[in-house]
Each structure stands twice: as structure tokens, then as C-alpha cells.
Amino acid sequence: MNEQEASKLAKVVAAECLGYRVRLLNRVITNIYDRALQPIGLKANQANILTMLSYAGQASAADISRVLVMEKSTVSRTVDRMKKNSWITVEGHGDGPSQTITVTAQGRELMAAAHALWKKAQQQTTELLGEEGVNAILKLHETVSASKSKR
């Protein structure tokens, strides 16, 4: 393939790629939440894990990975950091399903402190996307979740 043909293909991909647009949107929105949560030393992915664990009561790293659709290595690194910060406890032997992860009292306090900051980030994101954008994301989430549960 010559340079002109490669450039033409690249223009098509750049103009149409859904993957690029979703990843860009993800980075922009994650940055809003990360900046909002920064004063209390929390990142958006950590807040997601705290929320999931608080909702479920407890989970294994594999459960977190499955529910939040996160890479196992990312979950492992994040759980290790959260454990060092005393936001969660990890009980059981070895790795994987034999371990039970729960939120500590300190983690619950952190979630309470994060709530007002989360609301600020939620408002900023809503303003950025507009009502139509928010509704589109909610609808896409519903569609993807339904599709995922059928697998």
C-alpha cells in the first residue's frame, strides 16, 4: 500500500471509528471525576470499586473484574492500593475466588466524603453532555448490560 492509499484509509477510520470516540469520551469523563475526587485522594476506578463492594457487601477480585468489566491486573493493582490505604480488607488465602474483599469503616467514611465531590463531577458531566447525551449514555448502558447478561 502506498502513502496516498494509507492516508485515504486513515481518513476513513478517523472519520468513522466508534472505538476512538468511545475511548475519547471515556478519558474526558474519567478526568472530570478524577479531578473532582482528587482532594480526598480517590480515583474514579477506586470509587467504582468502593461503590460496588458497598452495594454487594463483599466480593472477590474476580467478581469486581466481571461486574465492573475491568482487567484482572487492573483490579489487582487497585485493590492492593486500596488495601494499603485501609479502605478495604482482603480476607482468605491465596489469590482469586478464595479471597473476600470488603469495605472498611475508613472506606465507608471516604465514600461519604466523596459523595459531594461525586455530585459535582456528575453535574459537570451532565452539563458537558447535555440531557440528550446523558440519555444516550443511559440507553447504551442498558443495551450493553442486557447484551452482556445474555452471554
Side-chain angles (χ1 to χ4, degrees), residues 7-17 21:
S7 178
K8 186 176 178 179
L9 284 178
K11 286 177 186 177
V12 170
V13 171
E16 299 174 12
C17 184
R21 283 161 178 74

Side-chain angles (χ1 to χ4, degrees), residues 49-66:
I49 291 173
L50 281 175
T51 300
M52 183 259 176
L53 289 172
S54 294
Y55 187 78
Q58 64 183 30
S60 68
D63 294 332
I64 294 169
S65 180
R66 180 181 43 79

Side-chain angles (χ1 to χ4, degrees), residues 8-129:
K8 186 176 178 179
L9 284 178
K11 286 177 186 177
V12 170
V13 171
E16 299 174 12
C17 184
L18 298 175
Y20 162 76
R21 283 161 178 74
V22 169
R23 288 185 59 84
L24 178 65
L25 183 59
N26 176 54
R27 285 191 293 272
V28 169
I29 291 174
T30 298
N31 284 335
I32 291 171
Y33 286 88
D34 280 346
R35 280 194 311 270
L37 297 169
Q38 185 179 20
I40 59 172
L42 190 63
K43 294 238 176 233
N45 66 341
Q46 295 168 331
N48 289 335
I49 291 173
L50 281 175
T51 300
M52 183 259 176
L53 289 172
S54 294
Y55 187 78
Q58 64 183 30
S60 68
D63 294 332
I64 294 169
S65 180
R66 180 181 43 79
V67 170
L68 297 178
V69 192
M70 295 173 70
E71 292 291 326
K72 289 179 184 180
S73 61
T74 301
V75 171
S76 178
R77 281 191 310 275
T78 305
V79 163
D80 285 346
R81 287 184 192 119
M82 294 172 73
K83 182 179 173 185
K84 286 177 185 168
N85 287 324
S86 300
W87 300 339
I88 59 171
T89 60
V90 180
E91 297 175 353
H93 301 290
D95 291 330
S98 64
Q99 290 187 329
T100 302
I101 304 167
T102 56
V103 179
T104 64
Q106 188 174 340
R108 289 188 298 275
E109 289 176 22
L110 183 66
M111 281 193 61
H115 188 73
L117 301 173
W118 169 82
K119 284 173 62 173
K120 178 183 173 187
Q122 189 80 348
Q123 180 62 37
Q124 289 176 330
T125 303
T126 298
E127 289 172 6
L128 174 68
L129 298 174

